[in-house]
Amino acid sequence: MEPMTRRSALTLGGVGAAFVLAGGAGLVSVWSTRSEPGSSRTTGTEVLQPALIRSTNGALDVTLTAAASAVVIGGTTVNAFTYNGSVPGPTLLVRPGDTLSVTMTNQLDDPTNLHTHGLHVSPKGSGDNVFRRIDAGATAEYRYEIPLDHPPGVFWYHPHHHGMAAQQVFAGLYGAIIVDDTAQIPATVERVLIVSDVTFDAFGTIPVASQMDRMRGREGTTVLLNGQVNPTIAAHPGERERWRIVNACTSRYLDLRLDGQALQLLGNDSGRFGSPRDVDSLSLMPGSRADVLVTMAGGTSVLQALPVDRGSSAGMMGGGTPSGSSITLATLNVAGAVAAPLARAPGSDPRDLRSESLDGERTLTLAMGGAGMGGSMMRFTIDGRAFDPGRIDQSVAAGTIEEWTIVNTSSMDHPFHLHVWPMQVIEVGDQVVDEPTWQDVVNVPARSSSRVRIAFEDFTGTSVYHCHILDHEDNGMMGVISVG
Ligand code: C2O
Ligand code: CU
Ligand code: CU
């Protein structure tokens, strides 16, 4: 952790150009927009922001091109996969009621597609339909009608072509989607911080994962924040920054710390808590997000990812948890004039499905097993079956509320993810969750179970649920749900 010596004269986190968010009450909230990641970057530079593309007049039309491109990561030129040439791809900022239209061009050598992780939108047709496939060289149109009552939150997009999702995300295909708040959240600077991990060799080649890595879930040897290695963040004491953090790692769980700073969590994946929660760590499974306020205290702090024990795969030689030490993601330097305090962030009144009547219950069982001799692949299943896009595994009546118990018989944790319909977390392992908490990824600890409630409302159609360790998903730990 080298101390930051370059005290730049730039204010507000080194904002080159600034967007002023439309705000009532004369509040000026600024998106940090310093440059774009993924060009010539070295260790120790200021944190960059992905390009911010925002909707106007209820519409956001954007072109995303997936391609192999050279990007500089920690001083090495890496042959990564990029959306629009950068890692991460651009941030898409929309509001409830908007229509998001994406023209997706595939310049990769393999099929891909697009998924808007966490958005409560239709899974049909050209919506959030992960059964579509965009062949190499092809272009496809996606259109997402975001409901007027869509919860605010941090979402993200990434490829979801079965069998290739892990490699394509690992190589750099991810970007943030923000559904803006209708309520005012006072903050001086807003940033998107995407955590990802990648492995590359001295020639900048990202290797194909070994079979062992695919069973365990690959973890990259380099952990990035907005495509950078340990960038710096500069702020003034008293400022309140809003960080929207995405765990875009293929398999890595994050236990984030920012010791010395006050963190308030507004919400996880989607929606807001009843009131902001004071926290001293952020626990993010692969695919999870946090929307957090940081009130700056003077001095230097380090954003760290502590090692997480996510279990091991029984029967795998040398497949234990990488113990490792904590990883430095960014260095925060807080100095200068003290900023005026801001008003308290508002909470919300989240729905609590525990006070509504249940229409049904079901149990899903995640399992790993049957690793054959001679290095054949272990089976990754839900209810004993590997993914088959032509088979419907769960038929749910539209408009009903169900409780799902997700059982994990394996010796590893699995982050369970459901598309389209968010889940209210009731219990994780033996921990009961009292406050209404809505997530689209919920951890299912090894040899344990978790319980969620889901309102299958607003949309019908066919979609998927799966383990968000993307190697496990690619290996078959995914099922098909039909709501109608
Ligand atoms: Cu982020 Cu089905 O995935
Ligand atoms: Cu998803
Ligand atoms: Cu898994």
Side-chain angles (χ1 to χ4, degrees):
M1 284 139 280
E2 54 202 283
M4 184 173 133
T5 48
R6 194 167 64 90
R7 267 284 291 135
S8 73
L10 295 166
T11 56
L12 298 179
V15 176
F19 280 103
V20 176
L21 284 187
L27 180 82
V28 177
S29 180
V30 177
W31 275 95
S32 176
T33 55
R34 185 180 161 80
S35 209
E36 283 177 42
S39 41
S40 48
R41 299 303 155 215
T42 50
T43 305
T45 56
E46 269 177 278
V47 73
L48 303 170
Q49 284 293 285
L52 181 70
I53 308 177
R54 56 171 63 213
S55 63
T56 46
N57 302 320
L60 180 57
D61 296 322
V62 64
T63 297
L64 291 178
T65 301
S69 326
V71 297
V72 177
I73 298 175
T76 302
T77 300
V78 176
N79 187 26
F81 290 167
T82 60
Y83 285 122
N84 297 1
S86 70
V87 175
T91 297
L92 311 180
L93 175 58
V94 295
R95 306 179 74 88
D98 284 352
T99 299
L100 169 62
S101 305
V102 179
T103 301
M104 172 80 220
T105 295
N106 179 11
Q107 292 180 358
L108 304 169
D109 294 332
D110 290 308
T112 191
N113 63 11
L114 189 68
H115 169 48
T116 52
H117 179 127
L119 283 191
H120 181 54
V121 293
S122 172
K124 286 180 175 165
S126 58
D128 187 25
N129 178 352
V130 293
F131 299 100
R132 290 177 80 188
R133 156 195 179 118
I134 310 173
D135 284 315
T139 292
E141 305 288 338
Y142 288 88
R143 189 178 162 90
Y144 311 95
E145 310 277 355
I146 299 162
L148 253 182
D149 60 352
H150 194 289
V154 196
F155 306 92
W156 63 300
Y157 58 91
H158 63 79
H160 214 290
H161 182 68
H162 181 63
M164 294 180 179
Q167 184 70 13
Q168 291 184 357
V169 170
F170 193 68
L173 293 178
Y174 39 80
I177 300 172
I178 294 170
V179 178
D180 213 353
D181 291 81
T182 44
Q184 191 83 58
I185 311 282
T188 44
V189 174
E190 310 207 11
R191 301 176 194 273
V192 167
L193 300 176
I194 301 184
V195 182
S196 62
D197 60 357
V198 67
T199 301
F200 49 85
D201 64 19
F203 305 102
T205 302
I206 297 171
V208 170
S210 67
Q211 197 171 88
M212 185 70 80
D213 277 347
R214 290 170 56 223
M215 285 194 276
R216 171 157 180 77
R218 73 189 76 184
E219 294 192 9
T221 52
T222 302
V223 184
L224 305 172
L225 191 71
N226 288 353
Q228 297 169 277
V229 177
N230 187 15
T232 57
I233 299 172
H236 289 256
E239 276 194 300
R240 183 197 287 156
E241 294 206 358
R242 182 173 183 184
W243 293 0
R244 291 172 172 94
I245 305 174
V246 178
N247 182 359
C249 296
T250 307
S251 313
R252 183 186 294 272
Y253 280 59
L254 298 172
D255 177 11
L256 301 180
R257 304 289 167 103
L258 185 63
D259 292 346
Q261 301 295 339
L263 305 180
Q264 276 193 308
L265 190 59
L266 298 170
N268 280 321
D269 303 351
S270 90
R272 301 275 162 252
F273 299 144
S275 57
R277 297 179 189 172
D278 294 326
V279 294
D280 42 36
S281 68
L282 298 167
S283 182
L284 294 180
M285 294 149 276
S288 303
R289 292 85 63 207
D291 196 336
V292 63
L293 299 175
V294 186
T295 303
M296 300 293 172
T300 297
S301 309
V302 177
L303 179 64
Q304 288 181 295
L306 271 51
V308 176
D309 177 7
R310 60 182 176 93
S312 67
S313 334
M316 289 168 51
M317 293 196 309
T321 302
S323 42
S325 43
S326 65
I327 295 158
T328 297
L329 292 177
T331 304
L332 174 65
N333 188 62
V334 184
V338 176
L342 296 175
R344 194 176 163 76
S348 69
D349 189 15
R351 184 175 178 184
D352 190 344
L353 294 182
R354 288 169 296 199
S355 59
E356 300 183 37
S357 63
L358 271 186
D359 301 297
E361 293 179 350
R362 57 186 86 201
T363 299
L364 284 72
T365 302
L366 312 179
M368 297 167 56
M373 292 290 115
S376 73
M377 221 35 210
M378 182 177 274
R379 291 188 75 228
F380 288 78
T381 57
I382 300 180
D383 297 328
R385 302 182 292 261
F387 176 64
D388 177 349
R391 182 191 66 224
I392 289 169
D393 298 290
Q394 314 293 338
S395 294
V396 175
T400 57
I401 296 174
E402 294 200 355
E403 180 167 280
W404 286 20
T405 300
I406 319 298
V407 176
N408 176 2
T409 61
S410 77
S411 52
M412 290 179 75
D413 290 14
H414 298 286
F416 180 82
H417 173 50
L418 171 64
H419 286 205
V420 182
W421 299 276
M423 303 179 281
Q424 182 181 348
V425 185
I426 305 297
E427 198 172 16
V428 176
D430 49 19
Q431 300 272 102
V432 174
V433 178
D434 291 318
E435 295 282 321
T437 299
W438 289 84
Q439 293 175 192
D440 50 61
V441 181
V442 60
N443 193 41
V444 190
R447 295 196 181 90
S448 185
S449 64
S450 294
R451 260 183 324 130
V452 297
R453 288 191 183 191
I454 307 155
F456 290 96
E457 294 171 351
D458 302 326
F459 304 105
T460 58
T462 304
S463 194
V464 294
Y465 50 85
H466 58 88
C467 175
H468 216 288
I469 291 175
L470 293 175
D471 284 296
H472 294 174
E473 183 237 287
D474 281 341
N475 282 324
M477 195 177 269
M478 176 153 71
V480 177
I481 176 173
S482 169
V483 176

